[in-house]
Amino acid sequence: MIEKLTDSSEISFAKSARRISFSAIQPSGAITLGNYLGAVRSWTDLQRTHSCIFAIADCHAVTVPKEPHYLRSSVRNLLATLLACGISPDESLLFLQSTVSHHTQLGWLLECNTQYGELRRMTQFKSKSQQNENFGVGLFTYPCLMAADILLYNTDDVPVGTDQTQHVEFARNVAQRFNSRFGETFKLPEPMFPKNGAKIMSLTDPSRKMSKSSDNSSSYILLCDHADLIVQKIKGAVTDSGNQIKYIEGKGGLNNLIVIYSCLSGLSFEQISFEFEGKGYGTFKSRLAEIIVSEFEPIQREYSRLIECADYLETCVRRGAESARKLAQPMLERAMYAMGYWVP
Ligand code: ATP
Ligand code: LTN
């Protein structure tokens, strides 16, 4: 099937009365169930209510060293994944961060308006820099680039998982500081979390978030995992010695599985307890694995189709870049002018 894209000029954000939402995801490997429930799935829903802008954060991705061939294939795979999940380039603006140089340009201006101490306090920096003491400077200045991503588009809402709270807060602070020093320039963005699933935990250590960069592949479920592997990982998920399916404070492992079940079934925790009354953890886990598989199977099929559509993917990237550059240009110029640059 030949894919058709609407002319990018038909997606008009400036004229729309809708709130503008911006979010991005790093091409750091296949996406996890956590990325899906905490971010990507809610992005597809937002397309009905918001003017949506989504970026593949390939500039952020190299804050942790990446082999060129790995980066190239990860970006391609992530683009096909987002499309397969239902992000529509006809309804949203979808682009690669590296194709719009305005991001790094505004990022620099924001770096020059940021205190060293502020960045040193960022928890993601603290944990990632501990993993490798020879980290690059980009890992440190990462929040300034993320703030630039958000502020360039007059963003109202930033749909993310709760692990990104501090970064969105930083974007607000830097915008506020810039506005009070140079005059009203940036809109202050709000973080936006899904009601359920804003922090999906690891299957092997429920005190940590599920993360695609974990060394232990049993700790996460990938969107591309085969059905048998999903069953195996859910069966092996850490729970406790109880047998009642009930969300109770302190039962981290079980609670995490109940949250996942609730996100995918649309049932409340009470309805889930009722459904599994008198049945043990084994039955619950089998049913949970089934609903994950049935959620992922159609996406996996669509992904396999799209990844072969080289021309279509190429067109998406080109069109996305053209539209994003047009949208980003006025804000970059405004910020530069406010700081005293000669803007011809
Ligand atoms: P990495 O493991 O490489 O740090 P990650 O899995 O944390 O990556 P990102 O690319 O940093 O994923 O995040 C993409 C989006 O997914 C962000 O909005 C983030 O908040 C959300 N997200 C990531 N992990 C989870 C999780 N476990 N639960 C809910 N949302 C998540
Ligand atoms: N830092 C985010 C990815 C990201 C982002 C953004 C999210 C880059 N730029 C702008 C929201 C808005 C992450 O690691 N999940």
Side-chain angles (χ1 to χ4, degrees):
M1 179 184 156
I2 298 171
E3 302 288 343
K4 181 188 164 294
L5 272 174
T6 312
D7 188 285
S8 50
S9 60
E10 288 171 29
I11 305 171
S12 174
F13 290 91
K15 293 192 207 108
S16 168
R18 290 176 167 199
R19 286 173 73 83
I20 297 173
S21 79
F22 180 97
S23 201
I25 179 165
Q26 295 191 62
S28 48
I31 75 167
T32 66
L33 180 62
N35 300 134
Y36 179 73
L37 295 177
V40 178
R41 192 176 71 151
S42 59
W43 297 357
T44 61
D45 295 338
L46 271 181
Q47 295 181 120
R48 290 196 290 272
T49 54
H50 283 63
S51 291
C52 294
I53 309 176
F54 301 118
I56 292 185
D58 50 357
C59 297
H60 278 103
V62 298
T63 55
V64 175
K66 299 269 179 310
E67 289 302 322
H69 69 272
Y70 177 81
L71 180 64
R72 220 181 314 278
S73 64
S74 306
V75 169
R76 191 181 192 78
N77 297 348
L78 182 55
L79 177 61
T81 302
L82 295 179
L83 295 168
C85 286
I87 304 293
S88 158
D90 292 333
E91 291 172 53
S92 301
L93 170 55
L94 174 62
F95 68 100
L96 310 187
Q97 186 187 31
S98 59
T99 61
V100 185
S101 55
H102 305 64
H103 289 248
T104 43
Q105 229 173 320
L106 181 61
W108 173 254
L109 303 184
L110 298 180
E111 280 178 34
C112 297
N113 283 289
T114 298
Q115 302 271 312
Y116 176 78
E118 245 181 313
L119 294 182
R120 220 177 32 186
R121 284 195 293 276
M122 291 285 144
T123 51
Q124 183 173 300
F125 168 70
K126 285 199 258 183
S127 74
K128 290 206 171 174
S129 58
Q130 268 162 17
Q131 287 159 26
N132 176 8
E133 61 184 36
N134 295 320
F135 58 85
V137 186
L139 192 64
F140 185 63
T141 57
Y142 180 117
C144 296
L145 181 59
M146 177 161 162
D149 297 342
I150 297 168
L151 300 177
L152 269 176
Y153 299 95
N154 259 319
T155 302
D156 295 292
D157 299 309
V158 186
V160 281
T162 50
D163 60 312
Q164 293 300 312
T165 310
Q166 197 186 27
H167 285 157
V168 180
E169 195 56 38
F170 172 80
R172 273 181 76 86
N173 292 343
V174 80
Q176 214 153 20
R177 194 166 47 235
F178 190 103
N179 289 351
S180 55
R181 171 143 190 236
F182 300 112
E184 211 53 32
T185 307
F186 297 119
K187 202 187 257 182
L188 303 190
E190 305 276 350
M192 186 188 227
F193 307 114
K195 279 198 201 81
N196 211 356
K199 192 168 188 185
I200 299 297
M201 310 311 281
S202 151
L203 299 178
T204 50
D205 177 0
S207 66
R208 305 170 76 100
K209 79 159 190 159
M210 183 181 285
S211 171
K212 55 177 134 57
S213 50
S214 158
D215 295 335
N216 180 358
S217 65
S218 306
S219 71
Y220 52 71
I221 289 180
L222 297 178
L223 186 56
C224 58
D225 278 348
H226 190 269
D228 297 339
L229 188 56
I230 294 178
V231 172
Q232 189 187 315
K233 286 182 181 178
I234 291 291
K235 266 196 187 155
V238 167
T239 42
D240 50 73
S241 55
N243 58 9
Q244 204 190 353
I245 312 303
K246 190 162 188 204
Y247 190 102
I248 300 172
E249 266 336 299
K251 292 208 163 205
L254 177 65
N255 291 348
N256 189 38
L257 300 184
I258 293 177
V259 168
I260 298 171
Y261 196 96
S262 170
C263 288
L264 292 173
S265 65
L267 297 177
S268 66
F269 297 169
E270 292 72 30
Q271 287 169 319
I272 295 170
S273 287
F274 184 70
E275 183 179 335
F276 289 97
E277 208 174 324
K279 298 173 186 151
Y281 286 2
T283 312
F284 171 61
K285 283 182 165 180
S286 307
R287 184 72 195 109
L288 174 60
E290 266 170 36
I291 63 169
I292 298 173
V293 169
S294 59
E295 177 86 11
F296 283 4
E297 260 176 3
I299 300 176
Q300 292 173 352
R301 269 198 303 280
E302 183 60 358
Y303 171 86
S304 309
R305 188 182 75 78
L306 285 166
I307 200 72
E308 300 301 327
C309 300
D311 290 349
Y312 175 65
L313 296 178
E314 190 72 34
T315 309
C316 281
V317 170
R318 195 170 34 76
R319 292 270 183 86
E322 282 163 10
S323 303
R325 284 180 203 136
K326 272 191 220 151
L327 274 182
Q329 183 70 20
M331 185 56 86
L332 177 64
E333 286 184 0
R334 201 163 143 188
M336 289 179 70
Y337 186 79
M339 282 180 73
Y341 283 98
W342 187 327
V343 181

